[in-house]
Every structure is written in C-alpha cells, then in structure tokens.
Amino acid sequence: MKTKLTPNRTLDSFFGTRDENLRLLEEGLGVQTLLMADGFEIQGEDAQVARAERIVQDYLNLADNGLKIPPADLNSYLRVLVADPTATFRELFESGKSRNFGKKTVVPKTVNQRVYLDMIERLHLVFGVGPAGTGKTYLAVAMAVSALLNKQVSRIILTRPAVEAGERLGFLPGTLQEKIDPYLRPLYDALFDMIEGEKVEKLMERNVIEVAPLAFMRGRTLNDSFIILDEAQNSTPEQMKMFLTRQGFNSRMVVNGDLTQIDLPIGRRSGLQDAVDVLNGVEGISFVYFGEQDVVRHPLVQRIVRAYERYGDMNGAGRQMALKLEKPAESALDGGPSGAPDADQTFTPTAD
C-alpha cells in the first residue's frame, strides 16, 4: 500500500533536522518514505502506512489549529507514537500542557515514561526501577512540583541514602546541611530546572520543600506530602521498610533506583530488591520497569547499558548486577526467587 500527502510549509517542519523524524517513522513502523516534487509518499504494509498517515495528519491538524510543537518535543512525541498505537498527538500534547511543571513543559519521551507519569498520577506508591538516564528522578520531581503548584499537596520531601559511590570521602567540613548537600545534588538540579532558584530557596526556608538523607526519616509521619526516595538501591531492607511506613494521609510516594548500581558493602541486600520481592502484587502499588530503550541521555549511554548487559550475560556476572530489570535479582543471602514480573512485561500496574 502507498499513500501520498501534498507538501507544504507545515509538513516540511514535521521532517525534523536532516529528516530525523522521517527516519524515526521508517524504523518504528517499518514503512518507506519518499519525497517527491509533487508530494510526500509513504509505502509499506496497509496497517503501518495507515498509522504513519494518521500520525502525520494529526500533526498537521494541530498545526492548522495554531498549536506549535517544539522540534525536541516533536521527536519525543513520535517515539511514543510509533511504540504505542493507542497514543495520539493531541493526547500527548494536551497531557504535557495540562500538568503544571513550573517553568518547564515535561514530555514523556518513551512509552514507559508515559506509563510512569500515569501511575504516579493514579496511585499513592510507585516504584521506578531501571538504569541511569531513563528519567526516573527527573519525572518524579516534575510530578512533585506539579502536585505542589496545583495545591494537591502542601510540601515536597526529597530523600536518598547518603552512600558514596565506591569511594570514601572521609571528613567533610561545614554544617550538617553542607555535609549532606553533595549526596543530594541531583535532586536539587531537578528542582532548580523547574522552579526559579530564589523561589526554591524561599520554599526550603519555609520547609515547603525539604531535602534530607534517608536516615532522617525515622519516627516521622508525612501527611499531605509528595515524598521521593531516590537511589533506593542503596537503602537496606530495614531502611526501606522504615521509609515506606512513613506515608501519611493524602501523601504520595515515589521510590526510584537502579539495581545495577548498588553501592552497599558486599553481602548487604538492597532494600529496593527486597521491596520488589516483598511488595510485588500488593494492591495499590505499581512497579514500572525501565530498560535501555528508555535511556534519554546521549545515544552513547544506551550503547553502554547494552554493552554491560551483554558482558553480564557472557560472563555470568552476579545476579544482583544483571541488567535484565524485568526479572530483578535474587538475594545473595537467601537465593530465593525474586517474584518479579515475567520478562516480557515492562511494568506491573496494580490499580486500586
């Protein structure tokens, strides 16, 4: 089957830099595109050609209604559209606009990122498990900022274990806050990207935004809050249980971690792995698993993640360090089954 679209200035803007969006359509849908003097032709299987044509027409309809999509967002939308046949341009565009993320418009760049945002919006406890660069922390902070600005919660609490990545920094000078700030810098970076720096500082002075090490959470009950535990793979099972039981009324929790980058001493079980095993299937909790296809950093990062996965498979690396995130590792201590989803599952939503 083939179909032809009449070229115009709006359609030209769809092609992207060096026709990168056309290549994305071709690779994602298995179609061929051909630019001619009198039109733009799409060839391939009937269903795929129809999908490609619908995607292009949806874009043209949005443009005709005066809605402008930045080139970077357009490429991100297309990545989701070719992977998820149920998604539409208008739905993705309006989803990004309907959520108030401060000075940023956050667009899910992969299907799993889209599921992740939806689960955070629907449920009170969501786990994001996957390699570096998949947007786990950034998207969680974005949803926290959205909830605060829309007055769904009265404060944001960001925490992570104060564990060094394979180093021992020794004595750190300064106040307690100055000592712990280096461990929490990624959370600050995401905050400052969405809210003006002066406003962040004022909110922190009023304790509307609180950034603290995980150890400081013991004994607290966190009501009317959006709570994020980052780098959860470096928590112990005892710390994880302590953290999860801090949740109060009208509060949401997001727990993020990468089971391939555990910095705990050898022989210590990760609290994130423990939570995956214990809480899998519990009603009201969702586990969203990211893979190398969700990495949205430099393309080289995807190749690095893939190379480590191949190396682990070939050399029989420890199960805890394997990159097959759909089946989290067995404990080095008890050797029991993980209880994780099947390998073909990308996420395990368990809605109320």
Side-chain angles (χ1 to χ4, degrees):
M1 175 182 175
K2 66 175 62 176
T3 187
K4 182 182 289 186
L5 300 171
T6 304
N8 57 44
R9 183 173 299 177
T10 302
L11 186 57
D12 290 345
S13 67
F14 175 84
F15 298 154
T17 305
R18 298 180 180 177
D19 296 336
E20 63 177 349
N21 293 335
L22 291 185
R23 292 196 298 273
L24 184 56
L25 274 183
E26 291 177 338
E27 295 172 4
L29 300 179
V31 298
Q32 294 181 332
T33 61
L34 182 62
L35 295 176
M36 300 179 294
D38 61 340
F40 163 55
E41 191 172 273
I42 305 173
Q43 302 179 20
E45 296 182 4
D46 293 359
Q48 300 300 71
V49 169
R51 274 190 66 196
E53 182 180 17
R54 186 169 65 252
I55 288 172
V56 177
Q57 289 292 357
D58 284 348
Y59 172 79
L60 295 177
N61 291 337
L62 286 176
D64 290 343
N65 291 330
L67 302 178
K68 295 183 179 180
I69 301 178
D73 289 350
L74 174 58
N75 189 263
S76 299
Y77 289 151
L78 285 174
R79 291 181 185 278
V80 176
L81 291 170
V82 298
D84 184 357
T86 65
T88 66
F89 252 122
R90 181 171 293 276
E91 176 187 313
L92 294 178
F93 183 82
E94 291 177 350
S95 172
K97 292 296 183 184
S98 64
R99 294 166 173 152
N100 182 7
F101 296 112
K103 62 182 181 179
K104 298 284 288 187
T105 298
V106 177
V107 179
K109 294 180 170 62
T110 69
V111 173
N112 281 336
Q113 286 191 356
R114 185 179 175 218
V115 171
Y116 185 55
L117 292 180
D118 290 342
M119 290 297 105
I120 292 174
E121 206 163 51
R122 288 174 48 197
L123 302 178
H124 292 281
L125 176 56
V126 176
F127 287 78
V129 185
T134 51
K136 303 182 301 295
T137 300
Y138 191 86
L139 293 176
V141 172
M143 291 299 286
V145 169
S146 177
L148 181 67
L149 296 179
N150 291 325
K151 302 187 183 304
Q152 296 171 341
V153 297
S154 61
R155 58 179 172 165
I156 297 173
I157 298 174
L158 309 174
T159 184
R160 65 188 329 209
V163 176
E164 295 140 342
E167 301 179 59
R168 293 295 177 267
L169 302 181
F171 173 77
L172 294 176
T175 65
L176 177 62
Q177 191 64 43
E178 290 171 336
K179 292 176 189 291
I180 64 177
D181 275 357
Y183 297 99
L184 306 170
R185 180 51 52 188
L187 298 174
Y188 284 116
D189 291 342
L191 274 177
F192 283 115
D193 203 27
M194 295 171 205
I195 305 177
E196 298 294 340
E198 291 183 2
K199 188 173 182 180
V200 171
E201 292 174 1
K202 289 180 180 179
L203 292 172
M204 293 184 71
E205 288 175 3
R206 292 160 43 200
N207 285 328
V208 174
I209 297 179
E210 180 182 346
V211 184
L214 178 58
F216 288 15
M217 294 296 107
R218 185 172 294 280
R220 303 181 63 182
T221 300
L222 307 174
N223 294 317
D224 199 28
S225 305
F226 197 114
I227 313 134
I228 299 173
L229 171 58
D230 195 37
E231 299 290 340
Q233 76 276 5
N234 289 327
S235 67
T236 64
E238 295 79 13
Q239 287 177 321
M240 179 63 74
K241 180 181 177 182
M242 176 273 292
F243 173 77
L244 295 177
T245 54
R246 299 307 93 199
Q247 186 168 13
F249 295 105
N250 190 39
S251 289
R252 294 180 181 273
M253 276 189 173
V254 179
V255 179
N256 295 320
D258 178 2
L259 290 171
T260 71
Q261 298 195 51
I262 297 173
D263 300 312
L264 293 171
I266 295 175
R268 293 300 302 273
R269 180 164 168 80
S270 166
L272 178 59
Q273 179 64 71
D274 193 68
V276 169
D277 294 345
V278 172
L279 300 178
N280 183 50
V282 174
E283 183 179 358
I285 300 176
S286 174
F287 291 85
V288 182
Y289 293 93
F290 297 88
E292 55 90 9
Q293 74 278 3
D294 299 302
V295 173
V296 291
R297 290 180 182 168
H298 191 285
L300 188 59
V301 176
Q302 282 194 357
R303 296 196 286 273
I304 290 172
V305 172
R306 198 177 301 123
Y308 270 98
E309 179 178 351
R310 287 198 304 268
Y311 182 84
D313 289 343
M314 291 172 57
N315 293 276
R319 291 290 303 279
Q320 195 174 31
M321 293 299 293
L323 277 170
K324 291 187 175 299
L325 298 174
E326 294 82 357
K327 286 191 175 182
E330 295 176 2
S331 166
L333 299 179
D334 61 21
S338 67
D342 293 334
D344 60 351
Q345 286 184 278
T346 55
F347 64 95
T348 312
T350 53
D352 292 333

